[in-house]
Amino acid sequence: MGTIIDRPRRDGTVAYMAQIAVQREGRSHRESKTFDRRPAAAAWVKKREAELSKPGALALAQHGKRLATLGDAIDSYLAESKKKIGRTKTQVLRAIKADDIADIACADITSQDLVAYAGRLGAERAPATVANYLSHLRAVFAIAQPAWGYPLDEKAMADAFKVTKRLGVTGKSKARDRRPTLDELDRLLKHFEAGRRKRPRMMPMAAIVAFALYSSRREEEITKILWTDLDVAGRRVLVRDMKDPEAKDGNDVWCELHEEALRIALAQPRNQAEIFPYNHRTVSANMTRACAILNIVDLHFHDLRHEGVSRLLEMGRTIPQAASVSGHRNWSSMKRYAHLRQTGDKYAGWVWLDRLAPEISKPTHAALAKT
């Protein structure tokens, strides 16, 4: 609570001493500052109370930057980042805060501390997961000093990455090569359609699975597509917030949409702004649950994207042509598909396409393109 005290001076003028006292999280802190004008004193009180209400601010005010901990730096990063921080990154940083390393003063953290922390993580997690933890923490190290004055050493983090990689504590995740068989897809889609016959209001998982396969889209991307994002005449779709290592939010990309995917999209009811107005996590959960019920082992929804890209290359499409559908910007990320050879379309004549999306005539196409 802030107060302002009038202090008469010998020359007859009045000084205004602003005082604030804060008690929070077991800490007590007081500050005072003198001003020549009451409005300036009131403005300072308001400003400092707002500043001290932020995570980690009391520690900084009491002990200075050098004694602020890594946990304080993480708090500032989470509280003051204007860019949207993903759910996974937020969870990881909060998990790091729960470890003893978060209690070490920023100025005292060494590469050895970071390597030791990675070792603790590695006792229960895969090298790729440990690397993700350090990568998210690296983002805090990158801006802590220039943004807030926390003396975190970026070189210590770089050295820790080098050491943990050499020791095998961190590493890249293995590229999945799991592809669904036609039999597995048939069983899945029969399961989903049987569920809809019992409960017609259920989400059309069969259509979503088929659309994912033909469009090579991720589940979150699918559930964000608006009817206005569909360019029927141009046979393309605007993919909103496409996943990107640098910036996901606002990364809207036009991708080619082949006939099969377009048919499935146009077969959906137009009763909401989105073509598939559902929660992407529910889509993924439904897939996982169905695979468990049907005893389909190690098949994830994301594997449909891999299947879609593989299909295009097996049909004779070039990597750039496949990338125009999948949205891959870096062709090097498609090296995993380099071994594929043209073998034809295993989905030619697939009965589920006609079941889920009756073929659209050219006049209908033209009419839809004008809407």
Side-chain angles (χ1 to χ4, degrees):
M1 184 70 180
T3 58
I4 300 175
I5 301 173
D6 296 358
R7 289 284 183 89
R9 293 174 174 146
R10 291 183 179 180
D11 61 2
T13 61
V14 178
Y16 301 93
M17 186 174 71
Q19 296 179 324
I20 55 173
V22 180
Q23 287 188 326
R24 190 174 68 249
E25 299 173 358
R27 287 187 170 125
S28 178
H29 177 70
R30 294 178 180 273
E31 285 185 23
S32 64
K33 191 172 182 179
T34 302
F35 297 86
D36 292 331
R37 298 171 55 250
R38 178 177 282 273
W44 179 82
V45 168
K46 184 177 180 180
K47 177 185 175 185
R48 284 301 291 153
E49 286 182 337
E51 290 173 344
L52 291 171
S53 68
K54 295 179 180 179
L58 279 184
L60 291 179
Q62 290 180 318
H63 306 299
K65 303 290 185 182
R66 290 197 61 79
L67 293 183
T69 65
L70 176 60
D72 295 326
I74 292 174
D75 282 337
S76 293
Y77 183 87
L78 292 173
E80 299 191 28
S81 178
K82 299 302 181 185
K83 289 177 62 177
K84 183 180 178 181
I85 300 177
R87 185 170 64 105
T88 300
K89 187 172 188 176
T90 300
Q91 289 176 340
V92 166
L93 290 177
R94 286 176 177 166
I96 294 172
K97 270 202 66 182
D99 188 88
D100 290 343
I101 194 172
D103 297 327
I104 301 176
C106 293
D108 296 335
I109 293 181
T110 65
S111 59
Q112 290 91 336
D113 295 317
L114 295 167
V115 170
Y117 173 62
R120 293 195 293 275
L121 288 174
E124 299 178 349
R125 296 172 176 83
T129 304
V130 178
N132 285 337
Y133 269 64
L134 290 187
S135 293
H136 291 316
L137 185 56
R138 191 178 208 165
V140 179
F141 272 67
I143 66 170
Q145 177 70 52
W148 307 294
Y150 295 108
L152 287 174
D153 185 2
E154 281 194 83
K155 186 177 183 301
M157 177 59 79
D159 289 343
F161 260 101
K162 186 186 302 182
V163 171
T164 54
K165 183 178 180 181
R166 291 285 183 89
L167 295 178
V169 178
T170 59
K172 293 183 178 180
S173 59
K174 295 180 180 179
R176 286 180 59 83
D177 57 4
R178 177 69 159 92
R179 296 177 62 181
T181 65
L182 287 173
D183 176 67
E184 288 173 333
L185 288 171
D186 186 61
R187 290 161 57 199
L188 276 169
L189 270 55
K190 283 180 179 177
H191 170 80
F192 290 134
E193 287 298 277
R196 286 204 85 197
R197 283 194 293 272
K198 293 178 182 178
R199 296 189 295 276
R201 295 177 65 86
M202 286 179 62
M203 72 169 63
M205 276 297 298
I208 293 173
V209 166
F211 182 82
L213 191 154
Y214 284 122
S215 67
S216 300
R217 299 266 61 82
R218 303 174 179 88
E219 57 263 48
E220 187 172 4
E221 294 169 351
I222 292 172
T223 57
K224 285 184 177 181
I225 298 174
L226 307 176
W227 283 106
T228 53
D229 295 335
L230 198 62
D231 179 3
V232 178
R235 297 198 177 190
R236 60 179 189 158
V237 63
L238 182 63
V239 180
R240 296 181 178 273
D241 297 334
M242 181 177 284
K243 185 177 179 181
D244 186 276
E246 297 299 324
K248 174 183 174 182
D249 291 335
N251 184 39
D252 302 340
V253 180
W254 283 101
C255 292
E256 186 179 350
L257 199 63
H258 284 185
E259 174 74 15
E260 299 90 346
L262 186 60
R263 282 173 56 181
I264 294 169
L266 293 174
Q268 306 312 306
R270 295 198 179 202
N271 50 20
Q272 294 197 45
E274 298 87 1
I275 298 177
F276 296 101
Y278 307 101
N279 186 297
H280 70 277
R281 295 191 184 94
T282 307
V283 171
S284 181
N286 285 345
M287 180 76 168
T288 301
R289 189 160 43 245
C291 287
I293 292 171
L294 300 172
N295 197 28
I296 296 175
V297 180
D298 191 34
L299 183 65
H300 304 163
F301 190 93
H302 191 79
D303 295 329
L304 299 172
R305 174 173 167 82
H306 174 52
E307 174 71 359
V309 176
S310 299
R311 169 181 174 262
L312 293 173
L313 294 171
E314 289 172 346
M315 290 170 61
R317 304 294 194 271
T318 64
I319 284 182
Q321 287 172 333
S324 71
V325 176
S326 67
H328 284 95
R329 290 187 174 183
N330 186 351
W331 292 353
S332 65
S333 63
M334 299 187 73
K335 288 179 181 177
R336 61 187 294 198
Y337 301 103
H339 68 284
L340 295 174
R341 296 293 180 265
Q342 183 173 348
T343 57
D345 182 9
K346 77 177 187 182
Y347 293 93
W350 194 37
V351 295
W352 280 101
L353 179 60
D354 288 332
R355 289 185 192 177
L356 296 169
E359 191 167 0
I360 300 171
S361 64
K362 289 184 179 179
T364 304
H365 254 310
L368 288 168
K370 294 178 182 178
T371 60

